[in-house]
Each structure stands twice: as C-alpha cells, then as structure tokens.
C-alpha cells in the first residue's frame, strides 16, 4: 500500500476505507495485461456506483433500508415547518416534477429515492 505522502493530494485526503477501496479497484484493473477500451459514457458514474456498493457495510441506515419491518427503533417523526411547504409550492423555486419529488420525500414514513439523468436538478432540489 502506498503511504499518504506518496499519493496525489486528492487521494491522500480520502478516508482510510475509501482509499483502500480505490487501491483494491486499481489492483484489480492492473492485474490484467490486455485491455480494450471504448468510451460509452462518463466513468464518474461508475466510480460512484463502485464506491457506494463497497461502502454499504458501513451504512448506518442499511438495516432500515433493506428490511424496514425489522428495524429496531421506530423512525423519528419528521416535523416539516409550514414555511418549507409554502416555499416548495412556489412555482419560481421548483418545477412540477421537483415539487412532487420533494412532497414525496417529506412524507412521514418510508424512503424516497430521487434519480434522473444528469442536469435535471436533483442536487439543487435536494439541497
């Protein structure tokens, strides 16, 4: 394993578990001699998916997400300020699809997955 001093700054700042996953992925990719590459899309998406899958064992909400019926503690009730509802329902802030996603996410129970193609406003909607 490389020491933190020999790594590029962007990698040296990674948490140890993420750095190990990245090093494991690199070792796996370098184990083969012949590779044929075609660009099908951005590798950023695949890298994020790879990191997310390998980070699952560390996810604190994993039991509730995979088996909500067997969760040990009840989920805390979400109290949504009235002002937030007013803000969400103003057309200048969100388009109809974003409003529906936010209203769904603010329900009292369950988990809402917001997904969509790049550039559709997922991050700005969530933030």
């Amino acid at each position: 394993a490389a020491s933190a001093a020999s790594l590029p700054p962007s990698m040296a700042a990674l948490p140890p578990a993420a750095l190990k996953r990245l090093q494991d992925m690199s070792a796996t990719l370098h184990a083969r001699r012949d590779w044929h590459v075609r660009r099908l899309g951005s590798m950023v998406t695949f890298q994020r998916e790879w990191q997310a899958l390998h980070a699952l064992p560390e996810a604190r909400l994993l039991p509730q997400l995979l088996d909500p019926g067997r969760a040990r503690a009840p989920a805390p009730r979400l109290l949504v300020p009235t002002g937030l509802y007013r803000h969400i329902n103003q057309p200048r802030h969100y388009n109809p699809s974003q409003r529906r996603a936010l209203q769904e996410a603010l329900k009292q129970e369950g988990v809402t997955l917001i997904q969509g193609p790049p550039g559709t406003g997922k991050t700005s909607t969530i933030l």
Side-chain angles (χ1 to χ4, degrees):
S3 70
S6 67
L7 295 172
S10 61
M11 289 178 61
L14 290 172
L19 180 59
K20 171 126 177 47
R21 284 192 298 274
L22 190 59
Q23 289 170 331
D24 290 347
M25 183 172 64
S26 178
T28 300
L29 292 173
H30 287 94
R32 291 192 57 179
R33 290 180 181 223
D34 296 328
W35 285 92
H36 302 277
V37 178
R38 285 196 182 154
R39 181 175 175 163
L40 300 176
S42 171
M43 288 299 293
V44 171
T45 302
F46 300 116
Q47 180 183 13
R48 288 178 182 163
E49 289 172 355
W50 175 276
Q51 289 176 329
L53 286 171
H54 284 84
L56 270 177
E58 301 164 22
R60 286 190 249 153
L61 289 176
L62 188 62
Q64 289 83 358
L65 292 173
L66 295 181
D67 194 358
R70 295 186 64 198
R72 291 186 204 133
R77 295 206 40 94
L78 179 63
L79 300 175
V80 182
T82 306
L84 180 57
Y85 279 119
R86 280 196 301 269
H87 179 81
I88 290 170
N89 289 313
Q90 292 178 7
R92 69 174 187 228
H93 295 293
Y94 301 101
N95 66 39
S97 176
Q98 291 169 323
R99 274 196 298 282
R100 280 193 307 276
L102 285 167
Q103 289 164 348
E104 189 67 28
L106 292 172
K107 285 185 175 178
Q108 295 297 317
E109 294 182 9
V111 174
T112 302
L113 173 66
I114 296 179
Q115 66 180 36
T120 56
K122 296 176 299 295
T123 302
S124 61
T125 299
I126 294 168
L127 298 176

